[in-house]
Amino acid sequence: DRLDIQSPRFGMAFTHFGEAVGSIRCLSKYEGSTVVKPEICCDKLGDADQTVATVIMTYPLENDKVDMDLLRQRKYTNFYIWKMAGKKFKKLESAYSDARNDQRFTIDLRVTLDGDPKFQKQLIEGAGGATWARDDMDPTVRAWILDMGLKAWKHVGNNLGFEMTKDKLMEKLNAGASHAESSSEASPRLVSGYAGLID
């Protein structure tokens, strides 16, 4: 195989989010998870967050079981980039750790919404050995899945925030600030009574 299926791949970056710039990569220098040389992005946008991304595949299901016929036909089998905060990654990592402790290295995950759907809280747990990696899996389907996974992996980095130079970031932040100022100047002034209009 061109991919070590026993070692899941994850991309990680420190990122900021700002209205004027969107999600961007932190420009600061890190040693591990400690900032050793902060940059303007941390000064202007606050501490960076850890963002993790990986490739996931979803199976076609019937009665909560993988529909093997549809999987062999490569139907309703989809590949996505899953971007998550460090906190959610810890849940994912915990499911993998539990599986490794049981000597299971290639597993499926079950991800279910936990509580109110609008908060997108997810329960992540191991769901047995990976169906696509079973010994009795059609080798052409297995090769197709590995190929699609590798193709999707090339896009993981693009989902970890925009890479921006310091000058470009300053330009965007200054443009956002001047836009906010001009917007506030153009806004109507609210007063509590007629007396406040005479000044």
Side-chain angles (χ1 to χ4, degrees), residues 175-187:
S178 62
H179 176 70
E181 284 168 19
S182 63
S183 296
S184 63
E185 287 168 11
S187 299

Side-chain angles (χ1 to χ4, degrees), residues 35-50:
V35 177
V36 292
K37 186 181 174 205
E39 282 290 351
I40 191 74
C41 52
C42 292
D43 295 338
K44 297 287 186 184
L45 302 171
D47 293 340
D49 296 314
Q50 273 189 322

Side-chain angles (χ1 to χ4, degrees), residues 4-195:
D4 175 8
I5 64 171
Q6 294 194 2
S7 302
R9 291 186 180 191
F10 297 96
M12 193 281 288
F14 290 97
T15 62
H16 297 281
F17 179 80
E19 290 293 332
V21 295
S23 183
I24 63 161
R25 299 266 185 106
C26 182
L27 298 170
S28 299
K29 185 177 176 189
Y30 288 83
E31 283 182 9
S33 59
T34 305
V35 177
V36 292
K37 186 181 174 205
E39 282 290 351
I40 191 74
C41 52
C42 292
D43 295 338
K44 297 287 186 184
L45 302 171
D47 293 340
D49 296 314
Q50 273 189 322
T51 304
V52 181
T54 191
V55 176
I56 61 168
M57 178 186 82
T58 57
Y59 291 113
L61 298 177
E62 185 177 325
N63 300 324
D64 280 341
K65 293 193 185 225
V66 176
D67 187 318
M68 297 302 288
D69 290 333
L70 288 176
L71 178 58
R72 286 187 191 98
Q73 295 169 43
R74 305 173 192 184
K75 290 184 177 177
Y76 307 107
T77 304
N78 299 299
F79 297 83
Y80 303 96
I81 308 297
W82 190 14
K83 182 174 104 171
M84 66 199 91
K87 190 174 177 184
K88 189 167 287 181
F89 173 70
K90 289 289 181 199
K91 291 182 185 178
L92 188 69
E93 191 178 40
S94 174
Y96 274 112
S97 295
D98 291 346
R100 283 194 193 100
N101 290 339
D102 293 338
Q103 296 301 302
R104 293 180 296 129
F105 296 97
T106 310
I107 62 168
D108 284 338
L109 293 172
R110 183 181 297 113
V111 180
T112 50
L113 284 176
D114 186 20
D116 191 332
K118 74 180 177 185
F119 296 117
Q120 292 291 301
K121 271 182 73 182
Q122 293 165 334
L123 180 64
I124 302 170
E125 54 194 343
T131 304
W132 68 269
R134 289 184 349 198
D135 292 337
D136 63 346
M137 178 53 67
D138 178 338
T140 60
V141 174
R142 180 187 171 106
W144 172 72
I145 288 169
L146 285 169
D147 190 48
M148 293 298 288
L150 282 170
K151 283 180 180 172
W153 176 257
K154 293 175 185 171
H155 301 284
V156 164
N158 298 336
N159 286 268
L160 291 170
F162 296 110
E163 291 192 70
M164 198 173 280
T165 64
K166 191 173 176 179
D167 291 340
K168 187 71 176 171
L169 175 61
M170 287 303 299
E171 182 185 311
K172 288 265 189 189
L173 289 171
N174 290 336
S178 62
H179 176 70
E181 284 168 19
S182 63
S183 296
S184 63
E185 287 168 11
S187 299
R189 189 164 56 103
L190 299 177
V191 293
S192 58
Y194 290 112

